[in-house]
Amino acid sequence: MKRIVLLAPFPHIQLEVRRELGLPGVRVAWHRLWTGVLREHAADAVVVFGPDPMDVAALIRRVTASPLLVVGGSPAEGASCLDLGADAWLPAEAPMRLVTAQLRSLLRQEPRRAPDLGVIEAGGLRLDTQARRAHLWGQELGLAPREFELLRVLAAHLGQALIRGQILAAGWGPTFVGEPKTVDVHVAWLRQKLEGSGLRVTTIRGIGYRLDLLRAPADAGDLAGSAAASASPEPSRAS
């Protein structure tokens, strides 16, 4: 059963969405505040109604990569929501029939999956995505499954800033809903394992993260052993 998370100031909007959506086997969960999303374990789509959608859109993209439809705000705010990772925007005066048609379109889309690049190399890092093994300057690097996916998506876009939605989709799946710090915690663990390696995960304030290639370390052979010894368990909420 597909699950839609609806954020709206009034509960009657939930009834209108259900009536106009016309899809059997779809559950609509209504929450007044954005924090209600955190009560959900998964979402096939998120719909936000409100006059000030930008902050909500940014917060939603911190916790899930699910398809996001924003309804409300000015066209300029709508453009900002799209830049923040929303998949679609409609003005507040859009009829419910158009809103639900856009929602059905989002539900029909296939989940975005990262391409299998085989082997990814960046500096002294070598990731075999099929064997799911990572080597740093010739030494195997011990990574938890989420850490591997996080490093994979960052290394595949070396030098490019990635928004949290892209990272969540790659490492946790497009319907996952987690805590706002989910990505941050895994980035912190990954940074420990890459320390001194010539690779750095850089925070891009208000956007996400970027993997930067700095320089080869003076003694690369001793790095990965200490990194492998620091493998960290994953928090149960982010599994």
Side-chain angles (χ1 to χ4, degrees):
M1 175 181 290
K2 289 187 178 293
R3 186 175 185 85
I4 296 169
V5 178
L6 174 66
L7 303 180
F10 306 109
H12 71 82
I13 297 177
Q14 176 189 20
L15 301 178
E16 295 180 33
V17 169
R18 283 177 173 169
R19 182 176 63 249
E20 290 289 343
L21 192 59
L23 290 178
V26 174
R27 181 178 179 187
V28 180
W30 171 75
H31 299 282
R32 188 185 304 275
L33 302 176
W34 84 269
T35 50
V37 175
L38 299 178
R39 303 176 196 168
E40 310 292 336
H41 294 284
D44 293 285
V46 179
V47 185
V48 175
F49 284 83
D52 301 306
M54 287 174 53
D55 289 342
V56 177
L59 290 167
I60 294 300
R61 275 295 171 251
R62 289 180 63 90
V63 301
T64 183
S66 300
L68 173 60
L69 169 60
V70 177
V71 182
S74 68
E77 290 172 320
S80 296
C81 288
L82 294 172
D83 286 338
L84 289 168
D87 296 278
W89 173 83
L90 291 171
E93 60 271 18
M96 189 58 69
R97 183 177 179 183
L98 178 57
V99 172
T100 52
Q102 179 66 78
L103 182 54
R104 286 192 296 271
S105 176
L106 291 178
L107 291 172
R108 286 195 300 268
Q109 294 178 8
E110 291 294 324
R112 293 165 288 189
R113 301 183 186 278
D116 187 351
L117 300 179
V119 174
I120 303 172
E121 295 185 343
L125 176 69
R126 188 178 191 275
L127 285 175
D128 187 330
T129 62
Q130 295 182 348
R132 298 189 64 81
R133 299 181 71 180
H135 289 82
L136 191 59
W137 300 108
Q139 304 265 343
E140 186 152 14
L141 184 63
L143 296 174
R146 301 296 191 196
E147 293 169 348
F148 184 92
E149 292 298 334
L150 174 59
L151 185 54
R152 179 188 62 76
V153 69
L154 289 171
H157 299 85
L158 184 67
Q160 300 177 31
L162 299 181
I163 63 174
R164 293 170 184 272
Q166 290 173 289
I167 297 172
L168 281 169
W172 285 263
T175 65
F176 172 81
V177 178
E179 296 293 334
K181 294 294 185 181
T182 295
V183 173
D184 301 332
V185 168
H186 286 79
V187 165
W189 288 342
L190 188 58
R191 279 176 172 155
Q192 293 177 8
K193 297 179 180 183
L194 295 178
E195 186 174 357
S197 69
L199 291 167
R200 180 182 66 197
V201 181
T202 303
T203 300
I204 310 300
R205 189 175 300 276
I207 298 177
Y209 294 98
R210 182 184 68 225
L211 183 65
D212 291 322
L213 178 59
L214 305 178
R215 56 178 173 76
D219 188 1
D222 295 335
L223 292 172
S226 60
S230 63
S232 307
E234 298 187 66
S236 58
R237 179 65 185 88
S239 298

